[in-house]
C-alpha cells in the first residue's frame, strides 16, 4: 500500500489472490464497506470472469450498512441476505486493532525489522486464536440458538407462513429498489393516454361480459356450465380494469366526468403531475 485511503484495486487484488488458493466450486461471502460499489464495478468493467463472480456473494459490513441508502441496505445488508448469518465483516479491523500497539515502536525501526516483527506478531495471534477457537465457536453457537428461538417465537406470534413472508419481502425489495420517478413535460400526456387505453379496455371487456350473458340465456341450462367459468373470469377482469382506471384518475387529480382528450395540453395538469413526481422524489430522499 503506497497511499492512504481504501482504494478499490486493493480489494480486487485480494480477491484475485484469494481465488488462486480456493477450489473452483467454493462459495465465498465477501463483506466490504462498499461491497455494493465493488460488485457493480466488477460487473461493469469485467475485472473477473463471470464464472469467478458466481462464486462470490457481496454484502456490506454491518456497521457500515446503515450509512448507505435504504435500497442499498435492502439488497446488501448481511442480515437481509442469505448465507452470512451473524457475521459482521469486521475481521480485518480486529486484526488491525491487535497490531495497533506496534505502530509507535515500528516507526523508528528498519524495513526488515518491521517485516520480522509483524510476521512474528501475526503468527502469535494465529496461535492464540486457534487455542481459543473452540470457546469462541461455542459462544457463537449459543448466540445463534438464542436468536433462532426468538425468531421462531416471533413467527408463531404473527401466525403468517414463512413462504408468504418471503414472498412479501421479495415484493418489498422490488418496490423499494425501483428507480425514482423523473419530472417530464410529457408525463401528464402519457398518463392520460394510459387512462384512455384502459377505458377502451373496460368498454371491450364489458361488451364481452354482455355477449357471454346473452349466450348463456340462449343456451339450454344443461350446456351453460362451460360458459360459467368464462363469465366469472370476464367479470373479474372487468372489475379489475375499472378499479385501475379509478386509481389512475385519482392519481391524476381529475373527476370522472372530465374529458381526458381535452386535457392533453393542459398546462396546470402538467405542472401538477410534475409537482407530485418531485414530491415523491423528496420523500424518498428523506426516507433514505
Amino acid at each position: 500500500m503506497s497511499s492512504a485511503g481504501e482504494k478499490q484495486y486493493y480489494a480486487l487484488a485480494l480477491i484475485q489472490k484469494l481465488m488462486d488458493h480456493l477450489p473452483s466450486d467454493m462459495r465465498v461471502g465477501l463483506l466490504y464497506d462498499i461491497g455494493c460499489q465493488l460488485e457493480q464495478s466488477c460487473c461493469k468493467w469485467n475485472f473477473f470472469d463471470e464464472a469467478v463472480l458466481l462464486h462470490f456473494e457481496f454484502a456490506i459490513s454491518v456497521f457500515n450498512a446503515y450509512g448507505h441508502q435504504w435500497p442499498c441496505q435492502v439488497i446488501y445488508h448481511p442480515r437481509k441476505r442469505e448465507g452470512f448469518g451473524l457475521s459482521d465483516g469486521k475481521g480485518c479491523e480486529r486484526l488491525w486493532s491487535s497490531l495497533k500497539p506496534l505502530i509507535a515502536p515500528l516507526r523508528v525501526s528498519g524495513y526488515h525489522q518491521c517485516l520480522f516483527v509483524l510476521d512474528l506478531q501475526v503468527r502469535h495471534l494465529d496461535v492464540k486464536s486457534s487455542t481459543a477457537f473452540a470457546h469462541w465457536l461455542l459462544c457463537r453457537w449459543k448466540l445463534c440458538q438464542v436468536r433462532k428461538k426468538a425468531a421462531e417465537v416471533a413467527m408463531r406470534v404473527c401466525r403468517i407462513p414463512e413462504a408468504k413472508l418471503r414472498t412479501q419481502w421479495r415484493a418489498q425489495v422490488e418496490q423499494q429498489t425501483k428507480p425514482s420517478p423523473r419530472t417530464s413535460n410529457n408525463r401528464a400526456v402519457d398518463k392520460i393516454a394510459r387512462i384512455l387505453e384502459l377505458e377502451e379496455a373496460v368498454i371491450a371487456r364489458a361488451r364481452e361480459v354482455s355477449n357471454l350473458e346473452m349466450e348463456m340465456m340462449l343456451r339450454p341450462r344443461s350446456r351453460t356450465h362451460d360458459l360459467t367459468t368464462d363469465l366469472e373470469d370476464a367479470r373479474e377482469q372487468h372489475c379489475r380494469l375499472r378499479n385501475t382506471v379509478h386509481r389512475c384518475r385519482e392519481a391524476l387529480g381529475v373527476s370522472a366526468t372530465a374529458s381526458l382528450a381535452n386535457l392533453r395540453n393542459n398546462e396546470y395538469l402538467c405542472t401538477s403531475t410534475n409537482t407530485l413526481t418531485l414530491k415523491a422524489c423528496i420523500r424518498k430522499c428523506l426516507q433514505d
Side-chain angles (χ1 to χ4, degrees):
M1 299 178 65
S2 57
S3 59
E6 297 184 9
K7 311 300 182 187
Q8 194 172 87
Y9 48 77
Y10 293 141
L12 297 173
L14 288 172
I15 293 175
Q16 182 62 53
K17 194 66 175 178
L18 179 64
M19 292 304 299
D20 294 339
H21 297 276
L22 292 180
S24 58
D25 58 344
M26 179 174 286
R27 300 287 294 174
V28 180
L30 197 152
L31 286 160
Y32 186 47
D33 295 353
I34 49 173
C36 49
Q37 295 184 14
L38 182 61
E39 183 179 18
Q40 295 301 319
S41 298
C42 292
C43 296
K44 182 177 181 179
W45 303 106
N46 298 321
F47 291 132
F48 301 102
D49 296 334
E50 185 177 356
V52 175
L53 292 178
L54 290 176
H55 297 292
F56 281 91
E57 289 288 342
F58 291 87
I60 303 173
S61 304
V62 170
F63 300 109
N64 297 89
Y66 298 103
H68 291 242
Q69 295 182 350
W70 176 246
C72 187
Q73 295 185 39
V74 167
I75 299 176
Y76 290 99
H77 197 292
R79 297 293 186 268
K80 299 178 175 64
R81 201 175 180 98
E82 294 184 3
F84 288 94
L86 300 178
S87 301
D88 54 16
K90 292 300 179 181
C92 290
E93 279 78 356
R94 294 186 179 91
L95 176 61
W96 306 143
S97 178
S98 301
L99 297 176
K100 185 171 62 175
L102 299 177
I103 294 177
L106 290 183
R107 283 178 178 173
V108 294
S109 301
Y111 173 76
H112 296 286
Q113 186 176 6
C114 285
L115 293 181
F116 173 75
V117 173
L118 287 174
D119 184 63
L120 194 65
Q121 182 68 9
V122 169
R123 289 187 180 183
H124 167 70
L125 294 174
D126 183 39
V127 174
K128 182 179 179 181
S129 62
S130 299
T131 304
F133 180 73
H135 177 70
W136 175 87
L137 187 61
L138 178 61
C139 294
R140 302 295 290 182
W141 172 257
K142 290 181 177 179
L143 179 60
C144 289
Q145 295 302 312
V146 171
R147 297 285 184 88
K148 181 180 178 181
K149 290 181 180 178
E152 291 175 349
V153 171
M155 289 289 295
R156 287 195 298 267
V157 170
C158 70
R159 298 180 180 179
I160 300 177
E162 182 180 351
K164 185 176 181 180
L165 290 175
R166 291 187 179 276
T167 303
Q168 294 296 324
W169 172 249
R170 287 192 294 268
Q172 180 180 350
V173 171
E174 182 180 356
Q175 177 65 29
Q176 294 182 346
T177 54
K178 286 183 178 180
S180 300
R182 297 183 179 180
T183 58
S184 172
N185 294 330
N186 299 324
R187 180 170 296 277
V189 177
D190 295 339
K191 288 188 175 183
I192 290 174
R194 172 62 176 165
I195 295 175
L196 292 175
E197 291 178 2
L198 290 172
E199 288 181 345
E200 293 178 359
V202 169
I203 295 173
R205 189 62 63 182
R207 191 179 298 113
E208 181 182 352
V209 172
S210 300
N211 293 336
L212 288 173
E213 290 176 347
M214 184 65 67
E215 189 175 354
M216 287 186 64
M217 292 174 61
L218 297 176
R219 278 192 181 188
R221 183 169 298 181
S222 59
R223 299 176 58 186
T224 59
H225 178 71
D226 297 336
L227 293 175
T228 304
T229 304
D230 296 339
L231 180 60
E232 291 179 355
D233 292 341
R235 286 175 175 172
E236 183 179 355
Q237 293 177 10
H238 178 253
C239 182
R240 192 182 302 118
L241 284 172
R242 290 182 58 185
N243 293 334
T244 303
V245 171
H246 181 68
R247 288 195 301 269
C248 291
R249 279 180 169 273
E250 286 186 343
L252 200 59
V254 296
S255 62
T257 59
S259 178
L260 294 175
N262 297 329
L263 294 176
R264 287 180 179 273
N265 299 321
N266 187 287
E267 184 177 354
Y268 171 78
L269 187 60
C270 294
T271 305
S272 176
T273 305
N274 286 332
T275 303
L276 290 175
T277 303
L278 184 60
K279 180 180 178 181
C281 293
I282 295 175
R283 185 186 296 114
K284 185 174 182 181
C285 291
L286 291 175
Q287 291 174 350
D288 294 341

